[in-house]
Amino acid sequence: MSGPGRALFYHLTRSGLDDTLLLILSRAREQGWTVALRGTDLARLEDLDRRLWLGGGADGFLPHGMAGGAHDDDQPILLGTHGLPAGAAGLLLIDGAETTAEEAAGLQRVWVLFDGNDERQLSGARALWTRLTTGGMAAQYWSEDSGKWAMKVEKQAAQ
């Protein structure tokens, strides 16, 4: 990995979570990155696991696995409620999942997808923005208010 990572906050108001995370995961895999997809609800992650088997990525499949197996560190995308696979370059957080500034500092990317209609997720994303940027990480806030994704705010990494 070269240079400090960046946190990208996606405020979902028009696009669905599934479409947005498929786009992000596909792009991360194109970069050759190993990614952890962290959620707070195991049943939701199991549903995403089934969906990824059926329709993720440009070729219709995104290689991945659920955390807790014998081969977690071999998974290019690992779905779970905590932890990172060995060599992870990215962490995608959904449904209010958390990370620390220390954990995020070792990654190329942290993506935070949060529902614009859920006050708990909004306040959680704001608090996470503060923790990560105070911890020295660069961050961007993306919104789709105009109908397409546009960066609205950027904070450079603390020197």
Side-chain angles (χ1 to χ4, degrees), residues 85-135:
L91 172 61
L92 197 155
L93 302 171
I94 63 170
D95 299 335
E98 293 280 335
T99 188
T100 63
E102 294 77 19
E103 179 181 56
L107 301 169
Q108 287 289 320
R109 286 288 178 282
V110 174
W111 299 273
V112 181
L113 279 58
F114 59 99
D115 184 342
N117 298 311
D118 183 325
E119 188 56 42
R120 182 187 61 80
Q121 287 189 33
L122 282 170
S123 64
R126 288 181 186 119
L128 185 55
W129 172 282
T130 300
R131 281 196 309 277
L132 295 180
T133 57
T134 301

Side-chain angles (χ1 to χ4, degrees), residues 25-138:
L25 290 172
S26 294
R27 290 183 178 169
R29 290 303 307 142
E30 288 171 7
Q31 295 292 318
W33 290 352
T34 296
V35 176
L37 169 57
R38 184 178 296 165
T40 57
D41 180 346
L42 189 55
R44 171 101 160 110
L45 291 169
E46 289 169 346
D47 182 54
L48 288 171
D49 174 45
R50 285 187 291 279
R51 291 182 194 190
L52 288 173
W53 279 108
L54 298 174
D59 62 358
F61 173 72
L62 281 171
H64 70 282
M66 289 292 295
H71 304 286
D72 284 2
D73 287 339
D74 297 327
Q75 299 298 334
I77 300 169
L78 186 66
L79 287 66
T81 57
H82 62 281
L84 295 170
L91 172 61
L92 197 155
L93 302 171
I94 63 170
D95 299 335
E98 293 280 335
T99 188
T100 63
E102 294 77 19
E103 179 181 56
L107 301 169
Q108 287 289 320
R109 286 288 178 282
V110 174
W111 299 273
V112 181
L113 279 58
F114 59 99
D115 184 342
N117 298 311
D118 183 325
E119 188 56 42
R120 182 187 61 80
Q121 287 189 33
L122 282 170
S123 64
R126 288 181 186 119
L128 185 55
W129 172 282
T130 300
R131 281 196 309 277
L132 295 180
T133 57
T134 301
M137 190 168 217

